[in-house]
Structure formats: C-alpha cells, structure tokens
Amino acid sequence: MDSTTEKIIPMQGYKLHVIETDKYKTNTFVWKMKAPLTKEDVTKRALLPQVLQSSTSKYPTTTALRSYLDELYGATLFIDLAKKGEYHIISFTLEIANEKFLSDTTPLLKRGFELLSEVLTKPNVLGNAFDQDTVNKEKRTLKQRIQSVYDDKMRYSNVRLLQEMCKDEPYALQVNGEAEDVEAITAETLFDYYNKAFSEDELDLYVIGDVKGDEVKSLADDLLKFEERTPKKIVNSEQQIKDKVQEIKEEQDVKQGKLNIGYRTNIIYGDSDYFALQLFNGIFGGFSHSKLFINVREKASLAYYVSSRLESHKGLMMVMSGIDLKNYDQAVGIIRDQLEAMKKGDFTDQELVQTKAVIRNQILETIDTSRGLTEILYHNVVAGKEIKLEQWITDMEKTTKEEIIAVANKIKLDTIYFLTGTEAVK
C-alpha cells in the first residue's frame, strides 16, 4: 500500500494536517471542529455551520456565494455533522481544482484558502447578530431535517435505541439537535455561540492534494489565526450498567417491524483489541457473508435486511433489522444465538480470511477519496492516539481467532428495541 504521510503542524489555535499526494486531481480542505456533546449546545451547534455556509460578509446571499464557487472552476463547499463518541464534530469541506491540470494558472490553492477563511472568520453579521433572514431560513431547514428522522422509520428506530440505551449519557443526543430547542435560538444567541465555539473547540485543518507543505503552512498562517486554547477532553464517561437486558416495544402504524439491538463492546478505538473487534463485527454482522445475514435473512428468511455496525469511539455495537411483526421472538433468538456462537469460536478460518480481505479493501476504497482519507486520519484526533494507516492494516491482518473470541466474550447485550405495528400480537 502506498504510504500516506501526514504532516501535523501546530498553528495559532489549531492544528494543520498536510497530506502531499498526487493521487487526486483536486485539492481538498477539511476544517473540523470538535466539542463535547451537551444538551445546552447541541441544537445551536447543528444550526451554526448551516448559517456559515449560507452566506458571508463578502457574499451576503447564498446565490452570490455559490456563483463564486462556480467561478473557481466548479469548486464545492459543504458541511457535515457527526457524533464520534461523546463529541459533536462539525466539518466544512472545500474541494477545488488543482491549477496544474488547467490551462489557466490562477493560484487556486490561495483562492481556496481565502474562501475558507471568509466562510469561517467573516460571517454575514450586523453588529452582534447573524443576518436575520439567513438564520430564519436555516432554522426552518433544521426543523425539517430533524423531522425527517421521524419520517424514516429505519433511522428513527436507531435513534430510539440509542435514546433508551444511553439514557442520561450525552451520546443519546441527536446530531441535529432537538426540534423543541430550535425556535428559541436567535440571531444574537447564535452569534454568541459562534464566538464561543471558535475560541473553545478543538480545531483541525486538513489540506490534501498535490501541494507543497511550506506553501500550505504560509497561506494558513496568513489567513487563519485563532485564540490559543486547551480543548475540553472527555474522560471516558461512565456508562450505565444495567442489571438486566432492557426490552422496549413501541407501537406505530407500520407494516414492517424495525428490530434494533444495542450491545456494549467495552472496547474503543485505540485499545489493543480494537482491530479484533472490527473483525468480530465483520464476521458477526458487518458484511454479506456474516452470520446474521446468512442465518437470519438467508436461512430463516426472517429479515428484509440485517446488519451490525460499530460506534468505535463509544464502545457500542448496533444490530439493525427489518422483520415481519410476528417474527420478533424468533429473530431475537437467532441473533442472540449468533453472538453465543462467536463466543465459542464457531467460525471458520475461511470466514476470518474473507473478513480480513473485505476490511482491507474497504479501507483502501475509503482512502481513494480525499474526504475518506481525512475521516480515517481524524480518528486519531478524536481518540487522542497516533495509529498510522499502515499499522491499522498490519495489526488487523495479524489478528488471531483466539483474539476475536476474547473480544466476543467482552460484548454485553444492553437493549432490545422493537418498533412494531398496532396490530401486532402482544
């Protein structure tokens, strides 16, 4: 695998990550802001990046800003929100052509830096408040985004599982905030929060492309300066240890039941057995050759879909499936049996080899895009670790069957959530 060298340079108030590579025809800027999830801030934090990317001081309308992006040979700017463990992550991504591939030699790297600086540091404000029309528009959009989760029963059931499983833990909060808190946000309070976030968040800028580190550092130094800070760190928060498995059934007018099951893995990214956990998940439910897929969907024909996924920074594993309402007991039984089988080592060397190959290919596919590469590298920032990409693959491929069995025996069933129809048999 080609080595991807990440240079990390301390800047004023943030860290600059430069990845010099000729693999991509564009240069990508990814600005990341990390802060602990809190009920008080989560909704303002979900609204803030939408307002910032909507307009700026120089481009006071969305149309003006998007027109300028078009002038930059169709550059793209978008934002994303994520939960990683009990941190709330805001990402701004700007992708711009590399002038080496154009007949015009306009210095697009510099233009990209200038635009990113404009979006982050020169918002569309009047006095001590964001532009009122922009805030009103983005508040309406945020309410719709929150509501869309409730309309999509697959996403809704996953949200409800986490709300029940992680009750009284910050991780129960939704990434887009709470609908009932949107209306109270004003143009003034949001601007106050903007100042707070940019003075307290952990800030990281990734620049990936056919660039020179010295030039990137010089441009960053000229255009992006923030207050020095000591970012707030979360000491692994206490997880609620339940005396018995929590079982919740919720009735709605649905024809297909949504069965979501949550487990505590007791392992997070950076732990020595994290790579064994990845392999466990792949064999258990992560891929189309997994035990859940074969036994629940293929053999028993109980599920329209079934899979498992990890939350690497919180130590959770979630199983998601769509089943007929009458098949609840049988589906839960088979899923529980598959975990017991993993604990006993009931999987073949061939399954292990296949899973290693699939995970390796998945990582290589992810780093085929600059944004995917950024997401993999950013795990280290969230975890406060330094795991090289090559080490990730090497350690995963060295993992033994015995190490996977040991991981399986750490995993505890926590909560079973079932969204069922009103006509289901009680």
Side-chain angles (χ1 to χ4, degrees):
M1 188 186 77
D2 290 335
S3 174
T4 302
T5 305
E6 176 189 16
K7 294 180 190 166
I8 304 175
I9 306 163
M11 305 294 284
Q12 189 173 317
Y14 64 101
K15 284 196 175 75
L16 174 64
H17 307 247
V18 184
I19 298 95
E20 298 179 29
T21 174
D22 58 6
K23 190 173 184 178
Y24 315 111
K25 290 196 174 178
T26 57
N27 292 328
T28 302
F29 302 80
V30 184
W31 177 260
K32 287 189 172 284
M33 306 177 64
K34 175 168 80 70
L37 274 164
T38 66
K39 174 76 171 72
E40 178 192 5
D41 291 337
V42 67
T43 310
K44 284 180 284 196
R45 197 170 174 81
L47 181 61
L48 177 63
Q50 304 291 350
V51 169
L52 290 177
Q53 72 142 3
S54 187
S55 61
T56 71
S57 174
K58 188 174 181 181
Y59 306 103
T61 66
T62 303
T63 303
L65 182 54
R66 297 291 148 182
S67 293
Y68 182 61
L69 285 164
D70 288 342
E71 284 178 35
L72 297 177
Y73 295 92
T76 57
L77 171 69
F78 55 91
I79 61 101
D80 183 56
L81 289 164
K83 288 192 300 185
K84 291 190 185 294
E86 291 182 333
Y87 290 107
H88 201 189
I89 316 293
I90 298 172
S91 301
F92 292 82
T93 301
L94 174 64
E95 206 163 305
I96 193 165
N98 187 325
E99 62 265 24
K100 291 180 183 180
F101 298 101
L102 303 172
S103 54
D104 184 355
T105 55
T106 303
L108 292 177
L109 184 70
K110 184 180 181 188
R111 291 276 185 91
F113 258 110
E114 287 168 346
L115 180 57
L116 184 66
S117 173
E118 173 81 16
V119 169
L120 298 176
T121 67
K122 294 169 186 158
N124 186 9
V125 296
L126 185 61
N128 291 317
F130 280 109
D131 175 67
Q132 188 67 58
D133 289 343
T134 302
V135 171
N136 291 343
K137 179 186 75 169
E138 295 303 338
K139 280 169 70 172
R140 287 193 298 273
T141 304
L142 181 58
K143 285 181 189 172
Q144 291 164 1
R145 195 173 288 114
I146 294 168
Q147 181 59 42
S148 71
V149 173
Y150 294 87
D151 298 336
D152 178 341
K153 297 309 175 192
M154 194 185 293
R155 289 167 67 202
Y156 171 79
S157 54
N158 197 49
V159 165
R160 288 288 298 116
L161 168 70
L162 293 172
Q163 285 176 337
E164 296 292 345
M165 184 178 178
C166 301
K167 197 176 285 181
D168 303 323
E169 298 173 52
Y171 196 74
L173 294 165
Q174 289 193 63
V175 72
N176 285 311
E178 306 296 331
E180 63 269 21
D181 294 337
V182 175
E183 206 45 56
I185 301 172
T186 67
E188 290 80 14
T189 59
L190 188 64
F191 186 66
D192 288 344
Y193 183 71
Y194 161 80
N195 287 317
K196 177 178 187 275
F198 274 87
S199 61
E200 294 181 5
D201 277 21
E202 183 166 2
L203 307 175
D204 290 87
L205 173 60
Y206 291 78
V207 181
I208 302 175
D210 194 358
V211 296
K212 291 187 169 57
D214 290 345
E215 182 187 5
V216 170
K217 180 180 181 300
S218 174
L219 286 166
D221 209 24
D222 285 346
L223 293 162
L224 292 168
K225 288 187 173 74
F226 300 93
E227 294 174 41
E228 296 292 358
R229 83 279 316 277
T230 303
K232 294 174 185 170
K233 299 282 184 193
I234 293 171
V235 180
N236 283 337
S237 65
E238 278 192 37
Q239 299 187 352
Q240 311 298 314
I241 307 299
K242 298 182 178 69
D243 296 332
K244 61 176 186 175
V245 174
Q246 186 176 215
E247 196 167 359
I248 290 143
K249 291 186 180 180
E250 181 178 338
E251 290 184 2
Q252 287 189 16
D253 184 16
V254 293
K255 295 288 183 276
Q256 185 192 107
K258 306 295 180 195
L259 173 61
N260 287 53
I261 303 178
Y263 302 81
R264 303 278 180 177
T265 67
N266 301 296
I267 298 164
I268 60 172
Y269 178 89
D271 288 348
S272 59
D273 47 3
Y274 172 72
F275 301 106
L277 176 65
Q278 276 197 312
L279 287 162
F280 164 88
N281 181 61
I283 297 168
F284 177 66
F287 303 119
S288 58
H289 66 269
S290 69
K291 288 190 169 296
L292 293 186
F293 190 87
I294 288 167
N295 290 286
V296 182
R297 189 175 186 275
E298 299 289 287
K299 288 185 180 174
S301 300
L302 291 179
Y304 300 96
Y305 63 88
V306 61
S307 65
S308 64
R309 70 176 181 86
L310 299 172
E311 207 305 331
S312 300
H313 297 279
K314 176 66 177 165
L316 304 181
M317 180 176 73
M318 280 79 74
V319 169
M320 299 143 289
S321 64
I323 62 172
D324 283 338
L325 308 177
K326 65 181 186 295
N327 291 334
Y328 172 79
D329 289 329
Q330 193 183 356
V332 169
I334 294 176
I335 291 167
R336 294 182 82 154
D337 288 346
Q338 300 319 303
L339 179 56
E340 290 309 309
M342 292 294 294
K343 288 180 177 180
K344 292 172 187 165
D346 181 13
F347 55 95
T348 66
D349 289 343
Q350 177 55 35
E351 285 174 281
L352 179 52
V353 168
Q354 186 177 2
T355 303
K356 285 180 178 180
V358 174
I359 290 177
R360 187 177 195 278
N361 287 340
Q362 205 175 52
I363 292 169
L364 294 176
E365 276 179 26
T366 301
I367 66 171
D368 260 348
T369 69
S370 51
R371 294 197 299 276
L373 176 59
T374 303
E375 288 308 309
I376 284 187
L377 296 174
Y378 192 65
H379 280 298
N380 286 337
V381 174
V382 177
K385 304 283 183 181
E386 200 168 327
I387 301 170
K388 302 284 187 196
L389 196 51
E390 289 86 348
Q391 181 191 341
W392 188 335
I393 290 177
T394 302
D395 287 1
M396 183 269 296
E397 290 187 334
K398 284 193 309 193
T399 300
T400 64
K401 182 171 184 174
E402 290 68 33
E403 288 168 327
I404 294 168
I405 294 168
V407 159
N409 281 282
K410 283 188 175 185
I411 294 171
K412 304 294 181 203
L413 175 58
D414 184 293
T415 300
I416 301 172
Y417 170 85
F418 187 45
L419 179 62
T420 183
T422 49
E423 76 276 22
V425 179
K426 304 291 188 291

